[in-house]
Amino acid sequence: MTLTKNLPITNSTIDKTVIKCLVWDLDNTLWNGVLLEGDRITLKNQILDIIQTLDNRGILQSIASKNDPEKAIAQLQQFGLHEYFIYPQINWNSKASSIQEIAKLLNIGTDAIAFIDDQPFELEEVNFSLPEVLCINAAELDRLLYRDEMKPRFITADSKKRRLMYISDLERQNAEKEFIGPQEEFLATLNMTFTISSAKEEDLQRAEELTVRTNQLNTTGYTYSYDELNHFRQSENHKLLIASLEDKFGSYGKIGLALVECQNSVWTIKLLLMSCRVMSRGVGTIMLNYILSLAKQNNVRLRAEFVSNNRNRMMYVAYKFAGFQQIEKQGELEILENDMTRIQTAPDYVKIQILG
């Protein structure tokens, strides 16, 4: 199996249609009855199993409901469901605007959101305003868990903890709001540890998931299957690196991946990505700087491929800031090279571990 110079190996078995968050309506969708009309409210059949199964699969869940927020939250708490919903939007705004707010708070694209409602009008409004959102009629609730978009190829350790990781992020955000002083001083209080290691076989499911799910902080958007990643892991001509991050609030999980093709005199970064959840933690360039140092130690030139997807400009800026310059362009593919004259040091507030 060989890797072409400028094109990724692709695998048709990987479906890039990924739903990261399911947004629920409440009245006559999640439960039977209309809360503000004084109806007797009961949960829909199998709803608890559906919510818990989606949570276990790593699909986040939220709410877009036109309702009284205090009464609706009290009802969710009574059912023992409130903890499953991240950034619920219970107000009188349009469902489309509520979905946009959820996407913004989760830092994901609206094309990674599904919305379920019993009202055709609400579904039409969202479909018209946000055609990229997957709209589902509540009448199809029984088939929800069997939809391909709701069945990730792998359920990883990070998947199962995804909601809890977002809850930890909320705690970090609240701590940052209360902190008085420069951001770097706040980041120093987090006691962050950034770990880089060669990917092991047990990392590959998460590695494939990262290539499919990560769009913003992603240099090329190439997707690789488990089998392809396993080949690179064992290849003498490639380096497959995976990164994790933790701090005093807990683990962020495996949040970074890099694939480097190693030839005799030149190395090429085929893929470099970071989870958008660490965007504000100031750790985005640590993996890149490690690869730069490694290339310099091995006395090779370092190149990188970049393909714009209109959402990953921040990664292009990171390359340019690190000293990469364009040397070739083939359609949408840019080939960049670094002259290795300057390699940035890691932030003082992060402890870095290199394993393997």
Side-chain angles (χ1 to χ4, degrees), residues 225-244:
S225 71
Y226 179 102
D227 290 338
E228 289 165 340
L229 291 165
N230 196 32
H231 161 76
F232 297 137
R233 180 182 71 85
Q234 300 174 82
S235 167
E236 294 181 356
N237 299 320
H238 298 89
K239 293 186 182 298
L240 183 64
L241 304 173
I242 195 159
S244 60

Side-chain angles (χ1 to χ4, degrees), residues 145-162:
L145 292 179
Y146 304 99
R147 296 184 66 112
D148 287 342
E149 301 93 343
M150 302 296 168
K151 295 191 297 182
R153 242 165 70 85
F154 299 117
I155 298 174
T156 66
D158 281 12
S159 300
K160 294 178 180 180
K161 296 185 292 185
R162 185 162 289 127

Side-chain angles (χ1 to χ4, degrees), residues 26-251:
L26 294 177
D27 292 334
N28 290 318
T29 298
L30 189 129
W31 57 53
N32 296 303
V34 177
L35 188 63
L36 293 183
E37 291 182 3
D39 294 347
R40 179 174 175 269
I41 302 299
T42 59
L43 277 182
K44 286 281 188 81
N45 289 337
Q46 299 180 315
I47 202 73
L48 182 59
D49 178 62
I50 291 170
I51 288 172
Q52 290 177 337
T53 299
L54 292 172
D55 185 67
N56 187 61
R57 291 177 182 177
I59 296 174
L60 299 172
Q61 295 169 88
S62 190
I63 292 168
S65 173
K66 294 178 179 176
N67 237 311
D68 180 291
E70 290 187 9
K71 290 183 178 180
I73 289 171
Q75 187 66 65
L76 289 166
Q77 289 172 333
Q78 185 177 325
F79 287 137
L81 294 176
H82 181 252
E83 65 185 283
Y84 287 98
F85 301 106
I86 306 291
Y87 299 120
Q89 300 298 301
I90 304 172
N91 49 49
W92 302 105
N93 299 336
S94 72
K95 298 292 178 75
S97 64
S98 289
I99 289 169
Q100 287 176 308
E101 181 65 13
I102 291 165
K104 176 184 173 183
L105 292 168
L106 290 175
N107 197 19
I108 62 176
T110 49
D111 57 349
I113 287 182
F115 170 60
I116 185 166
D117 199 302
D118 67 302
Q119 294 291 323
F121 169 80
E122 301 289 9
L123 294 168
E124 280 297 318
E125 186 262 332
V126 171
N127 188 54
F128 177 79
S129 301
L130 303 170
E132 67 278 13
V133 171
L134 174 64
C135 291
I136 303 170
N137 194 301
E140 302 172 23
L141 189 61
D142 290 346
R143 303 201 301 275
L144 185 65
L145 292 179
Y146 304 99
R147 296 184 66 112
D148 287 342
E149 301 93 343
M150 302 296 168
K151 295 191 297 182
R153 242 165 70 85
F154 299 117
I155 298 174
T156 66
D158 281 12
S159 300
K160 294 178 180 180
K161 296 185 292 185
R162 185 162 289 127
R163 171 174 55 89
L164 299 179
M165 290 179 184
Y166 271 86
I167 290 172
S168 294
D169 283 345
L170 278 169
E171 293 174 356
R172 292 180 185 100
Q173 290 167 21
N174 290 334
E176 187 169 8
K177 287 176 185 175
E178 295 172 3
F179 185 85
I180 299 173
Q183 188 190 32
E184 285 201 0
E185 288 184 11
F186 168 73
L187 293 175
T189 69
L190 295 179
N191 302 323
M192 288 185 284
T193 299
F194 190 96
T195 302
I196 301 173
S197 61
S198 296
K200 300 179 178 63
E201 189 171 0
E202 57 265 31
D203 296 321
L204 298 182
Q205 291 185 0
R206 174 57 176 160
E208 179 186 308
E209 184 180 48
L210 280 167
T211 72
V212 174
R213 290 177 62 92
T214 309
N215 298 307
Q216 295 183 59
L217 302 185
N218 187 325
T219 56
T220 55
Y222 298 166
T223 59
Y224 297 104
S225 71
Y226 179 102
D227 290 338
E228 289 165 340
L229 291 165
N230 196 32
H231 161 76
F232 297 137
R233 180 182 71 85
Q234 300 174 82
S235 167
E236 294 181 356
N237 299 320
H238 298 89
K239 293 186 182 298
L240 183 64
L241 304 173
I242 195 159
S244 60
L245 181 68
E246 61 180 37
D247 65 16
K248 68 180 183 181
F249 289 100
S251 173

